[in-house]
Amino acid sequence: RAAADSGRLALQVAEAYVEAATAETRRRRLAEVTRVFRRADSSMAERETGGDASGYAVRRVRLERARYEQRLAAARLDVDSAQRQLALLILPSSAPAVAAASLPTSIPPPVSERKALRTAQRQRPELRRRRSEVDARKAARRAARREAWPDPSVTAGYKRQSDGFEGAFLGVGIPLPLFDRNRGAAKAEAERLDAAQTQQALARREIRNEVRRAHGAYASARRQTQLVGADLLRGTGDLLRIAQASYDEGEMSLVELLDAADAYRDARLTSIDLRADLWSRYFQLLRAMGQPLDLP
């Protein structure tokens, strides 16, 4: 039971770590876009002073900056909440928060369903507990069965009596009744053994289903990350920087800058969500297998 509780706690810590790392990564990406609109706002104010920008364009940039400032503030609150939750699980109460390292950029390794099922059968503490209970019930049943039959005792020795007779003697003692002694207890232990074996079979079935669900979710998230992740980020790395430089030089309109910023934000945040979901599914599969929740 202690091992099973430890496994559940480890999964809570892993999920809290993923949440904290994801929140910080999202905050950094939103900060990048927010800085673009801060610069655009300053640039637009200078243009308005020189008569090169309309009042509409100035208000539009400021509105977009306000939107991103609001998103960034919300992202900071998410980071603070996630870091506090992680600290609550792993540090003493005196530590208010802890920062999580960024999630690995690599993809977790593939795991076959057959290997996952075999590992779970060996490693899951819930199954070890059920096996121990069945073994204990078998031992109790054997002990009860031995008591259900007479337990004869043999005595032997040399004896001298008061009337002058002496010699060796041998005696056999058989307790009564001869039959049905402790039969009720033996039957009760047999029923308890059947119940323990049934619980063991149910635990095996539940864990098999849990492993299959976790493996299917992880395999799906891994395929999606491999298919979408690379294409999603292709060409977006310099998109924001180029858009900002072009806008500053007057080569890009306000609408194009807004479109580039939104495209960059959507691509980056979607990629972050994909990676966070992938690692969460990976940790859940490791937990279902009864394996340590370590980064590869």
Side-chain angles (χ1 to χ4, degrees):
R1 290 194 187 102
D5 290 341
S6 296
R8 284 189 288 269
L9 176 59
L11 180 59
Q12 290 180 359
V13 172
E15 290 177 338
Y17 154 73
V18 171
E19 184 67 25
T22 302
E24 175 59 25
T25 305
R26 291 175 65 89
R27 184 202 64 79
R28 288 199 298 266
R29 296 295 175 258
L30 285 170
E32 291 177 0
V33 184
T34 304
R35 284 194 295 268
V36 169
F37 283 100
R38 287 173 184 169
R39 289 185 55 181
D41 188 15
S42 299
S43 175
M44 188 64 69
E46 294 175 359
R47 292 184 185 183
E48 183 184 24
T49 303
D52 296 332
S54 66
Y56 168 79
V58 173
R59 288 191 296 271
R60 185 68 181 86
V61 168
R62 287 179 180 171
L63 176 61
E64 199 66 22
R65 175 184 176 179
R67 287 176 55 201
Y68 276 98
E69 293 285 3
Q70 185 178 16
R71 289 169 177 166
L72 181 58
R76 291 194 183 105
L77 291 177
D78 291 340
V79 169
D80 182 68
S81 176
Q83 290 181 351
R84 289 180 181 275
Q85 180 63 27
L86 182 59
L88 179 66
L89 292 172
I90 67 174
L91 294 178
S93 57
S94 58
V98 59
S102 299
L103 289 172
T105 56
S106 60
I107 296 178
V111 180
S112 69
E113 183 178 298
R114 180 178 298 180
K115 177 183 177 182
L117 289 170
R118 286 201 309 264
T119 303
Q121 292 296 320
R122 295 194 308 267
Q123 300 296 333
R124 281 294 292 266
E126 295 88 346
L127 289 181
R128 295 203 303 270
R129 170 193 169 191
R130 295 300 179 186
R131 285 194 292 268
S132 296
E133 289 177 349
V134 168
D135 291 342
R137 291 303 176 189
K138 287 180 178 179
R141 184 188 62 176
R142 288 195 297 268
R145 283 180 173 179
R146 284 196 297 268
E147 293 179 2
W149 295 92
D151 186 13
S153 60
V154 179
T155 57
Y158 187 87
K159 186 175 182 181
R160 177 179 294 174
Q161 299 183 4
S162 59
D163 57 4
F165 289 97
E166 60 180 323
F169 72 92
L170 175 68
V172 178
I174 301 178
L176 297 176
L178 295 178
F179 301 100
D180 294 329
R181 183 172 180 263
N182 204 35
R183 288 291 180 84
K187 184 177 181 180
E189 289 299 338
E191 295 294 337
R192 294 189 185 100
L193 174 59
D194 289 340
Q197 290 173 333
T198 300
Q199 292 295 329
Q200 183 184 38
L202 289 174
R204 285 175 179 165
R205 184 178 302 176
E206 290 175 357
I207 287 176
R208 279 198 303 268
N209 291 337
E210 182 182 348
V211 170
R212 289 192 175 107
R213 287 195 303 269
H215 180 271
Y218 171 63
S220 176
R222 196 170 185 275
R223 285 193 301 269
Q224 188 176 10
T225 301
Q226 288 177 316
L227 293 174
V228 179
D231 293 336
L232 186 66
L233 294 180
R234 185 174 294 118
T236 61
D238 296 330
L239 177 63
L240 196 61
R241 179 181 58 81
I242 295 173
Q244 181 179 354
S246 299
Y247 181 76
D248 291 340
E249 295 295 330
E251 299 174 357
M252 178 178 284
S253 67
L254 175 60
V255 173
E256 290 174 322
L257 176 64
L258 296 177
D259 182 68
D262 286 342
Y264 177 84
R265 183 203 65 192
D266 292 343
R268 288 293 177 176
L269 296 186
T270 301
S271 175
I272 293 168
D273 291 341
L274 281 174
R275 188 152 48 113
D277 182 66
L278 175 65
W279 283 100
S280 294
R281 301 293 185 184
Y282 178 66
F283 287 136
Q284 290 168 9
L285 177 58
L286 291 181
R287 163 71 182 102
M289 294 167 60
Q291 293 286 83
L293 305 188
D294 297 329
L295 291 172

